[in-house]
Amino acid sequence: MPASPLSTSGTALGLNFDDRYRENYSLPFAFPFFGQSYNQVTISTNGNLYFSPPPKRANGDADDVPGSTADLSLRKMISGMWDDLDLSTSRRADADVYVVQPDSTRIIFRWQGVQFGDGTNGDPINFEIELRSDGTITTRYGAGNTNLFPVVGISGGEPRPLRD
């Protein structure tokens, strides 16, 4: 599948880390998601947007690696490319999550980084999640994004019961 054009420029959020969150990021509109409206979102360096509290380590760092479909079902979240991603500028100079607001009805979160590795530069990751005020969610995937095993999807935080 060929790469899609991604947004350009935007405001860098300063998420130049591995396994971190930007909590309570204010959205420019109330975003309808699984029957509720949200004015804030938590952004993970590992490719997620959370509408419910995300998992944390004792020190407050993100505890959302590795991604799994079982964990996806436990939270209200959007997983654009949930994997162990590294947004450190020491590994990629333009790494960060960027926010672009093309108009009053849309906001785009764009991740630029590399896959987490053993100290070598991993393959580049480039993707974005666009939220629209009508509840539409669009994901786009740019160049790179190879050698990953991501979880991609949305969840209302209601796991399906196991059947006998």
Side-chain angles (χ1 to χ4, degrees), residues 71-91:
D71 287 341
L72 175 66
S73 71
L74 298 176
R75 291 183 170 73
K76 292 182 181 189
M77 63 188 288
I78 301 169
S79 294
M81 189 184 315
W82 188 5
D83 206 331
D84 196 1
L85 308 179
D86 189 343
L87 305 188
S88 302
T89 54
S90 62
R91 299 199 58 216

Side-chain angles (χ1 to χ4, degrees), residues 140-164:
R140 294 179 200 87
Y141 300 90
N145 307 322
T146 59
N147 301 317
L148 298 168
F149 299 99
V151 172
V152 175
I154 63 172
S155 173
E158 298 176 4
R160 291 178 19 184
L162 297 174
R163 296 181 190 240
D164 296 330

Side-chain angles (χ1 to χ4, degrees), residues 47-158:
N48 297 317
L49 296 177
Y50 290 95
F51 296 93
S52 61
K56 291 184 181 181
R57 297 182 182 136
N59 67 358
D61 283 354
D63 194 15
D64 61 349
V65 170
S68 75
T69 55
D71 287 341
L72 175 66
S73 71
L74 298 176
R75 291 183 170 73
K76 292 182 181 189
M77 63 188 288
I78 301 169
S79 294
M81 189 184 315
W82 188 5
D83 206 331
D84 196 1
L85 308 179
D86 189 343
L87 305 188
S88 302
T89 54
S90 62
R91 299 199 58 216
R92 179 176 170 178
D94 65 349
D96 210 329
V97 176
Y98 294 83
V99 177
V100 179
Q101 191 174 350
D103 57 51
S104 64
T105 66
R106 299 183 298 153
I107 187 168
I108 299 169
F109 298 93
R110 185 180 70 250
W111 282 256
Q112 294 180 185
V114 297
Q115 64 187 118
F116 186 80
D118 58 3
T120 62
N121 283 335
D123 291 333
I125 58 98
N126 297 286
F127 70 96
E128 63 189 21
I129 301 171
E130 177 179 327
L131 306 180
R132 294 186 181 206
S133 60
D134 66 0
T136 300
I137 302 164
T138 303
T139 53
R140 294 179 200 87
Y141 300 90
N145 307 322
T146 59
N147 301 317
L148 298 168
F149 299 99
V151 172
V152 175
I154 63 172
S155 173
E158 298 176 4

Side-chain angles (χ1 to χ4, degrees), residues 1-4 141-144:
M1 172 182 238
S4 297
Y141 300 90

